Amino acid sequence: DGGITQSPKYLFRKEGQNVTLSCEQNLNHDAMYWYRQDPGQGLRLIYYSQIVNDFQKGDIAEGYSVSREKKESFPLTVTSAQKNPTAFYLCASSIEDNYEQYFGPGTRLTVT
Amino acid sequence: GDSVTQMEGPVTLSEEAFLTINCTYTATGYPSLFWYVQYPGEGLQLLLKATKADDKGSNKGFEATYRKETTSFHLEKGSVQVSDSAVYFCALSGNYGQNFVFGPGTRLSVLP
């Protein structure tokens, strides 16, 4: 079955540590996205990538970094510079930018 | 820039009631319009879409019609079930290079 996988489902880290969230897709989509969702809130775009080896900042990129070395993979690193990293992180992909997006199940990150 | 406005929640209905969740948009040109659903603790799922004016998207008993004259894409269902309890997001995809734009989401609670 084609789809998007995110791992792990739950992640716990101590303050000051960097942490990398995994996102993999086997849909052969060119575009991939990372969103942050806080409790009871909507989605905020962190980074997106339209093609391998290229990515752009979204609305809230500070304290985050990404890479896109393979079409299938778009990992997100939450750095210690992110002041409030506890949130639900959603990865999505689309066949091209501006087409409908398909979402993974999300990773809930808790930093204490 | 493009934007999406949704009715504020939470919306609380009894089982078998009629559902309407309002969505209006601001965009240049002719965007594609989408409804996504998010069940607790999960990622977003594409519920339905419409790509041009007067198109009706439908899925699982939900419907929405793309009304260009009123810039609206209201979500409706004739008889809701407890299992429809979720957060519903309206979204648009512009056709001038912008990313997806999501509305803030509307939480629906259906009581037995």
Side-chain angles (χ1 to χ4, degrees):
Chain A
D1 284 341
I4 303 175
T5 57
Q6 292 186 245
S7 60
K9 179 72 173 173
Y10 299 95
L11 192 53
F12 298 89
R13 282 293 183 270
K14 294 289 188 185
E15 199 172 313
Q17 294 179 334
N18 291 353
V19 58
T20 297
L21 282 59
S22 168
C23 177
E24 303 277 333
Q25 55 99 358
N26 61 3
L27 300 168
N28 200 33
H29 285 175
D30 281 326
M32 297 186 74
Y33 311 82
W34 274 105
Y35 294 91
R36 171 181 172 138
Q37 187 177 32
D38 292 287
Q41 303 296 312
L43 304 176
R44 291 188 289 171
L45 182 65
I46 305 173
Y47 268 98
Y48 65 100
S49 169
Q50 296 172 304
I51 199 167
V52 174
N53 292 323
D54 187 49
F55 48 83
Q56 287 80 40
K57 293 181 179 180
D59 301 319
I60 57 163
E62 185 174 350
Y64 299 97
S65 66
V66 293
S67 62
R68 187 87 187 276
E69 297 176 1
K70 298 186 300 181
K71 188 175 186 177
E72 303 79 19
S73 179
F74 191 41
L76 173 74
T77 297
V78 185
T79 76
S80 56
Q82 169 49 236
K83 294 176 182 173
N84 187 16
T86 295
F88 189 48
Y89 290 88
L90 288 161
C91 179
S93 71
S94 63
I95 190 165
E96 291 180 21
D97 197 21
N98 284 338
Y99 282 71
E100 58 260 38
Q101 295 184 9
Y102 295 87
F103 284 79
T107 292
R108 187 167 300 281
L109 173 65
T110 302
V111 177
T112 57
Chain B
D2 296 354
S3 66
V4 174
T5 303
Q6 293 180 231
M7 64 188 290
E8 287 197 24
V11 173
T12 303
L13 296 173
S14 297
E15 204 165 24
E16 299 184 2
F18 185 86
L19 168 71
T20 300
I21 300 178
N22 290 338
C23 171
T24 56
Y25 68 90
T26 302
T28 49
Y30 302 92
S32 295
L33 301 172
F34 307 85
W35 277 102
Y36 284 82
V37 58
Q38 184 180 32
Y39 298 103
E42 298 184 8
L44 278 68
Q45 300 175 26
L46 179 63
L47 182 59
L48 53 84
K49 68 178 183 181
T51 57
K52 61 183 187 295
D54 300 325
D55 268 2
K56 178 186 282 188
S58 60
N59 186 24
K60 300 181 181 179
F62 291 90
E63 293 183 339
T65 301
Y66 187 163
R67 301 285 189 201
K68 186 159 179 64
E69 64 275 13
T70 54
T71 62
S72 65
F73 193 54
H74 304 323
L75 183 68
E76 296 181 336
K77 187 176 185 184
S79 175
V80 293
Q81 305 300 312
V82 172
S83 57
D84 293 327
S85 298
V87 180
Y88 292 83
F89 291 91
C90 185
L92 71 79
S93 170
N95 51 13
Y96 290 101
Q98 297 94 343
N99 286 319
F100 246 62
V101 177
F102 286 91
T106 301
R107 182 175 299 278
L108 169 66
S109 294
V110 180
L111 305 178

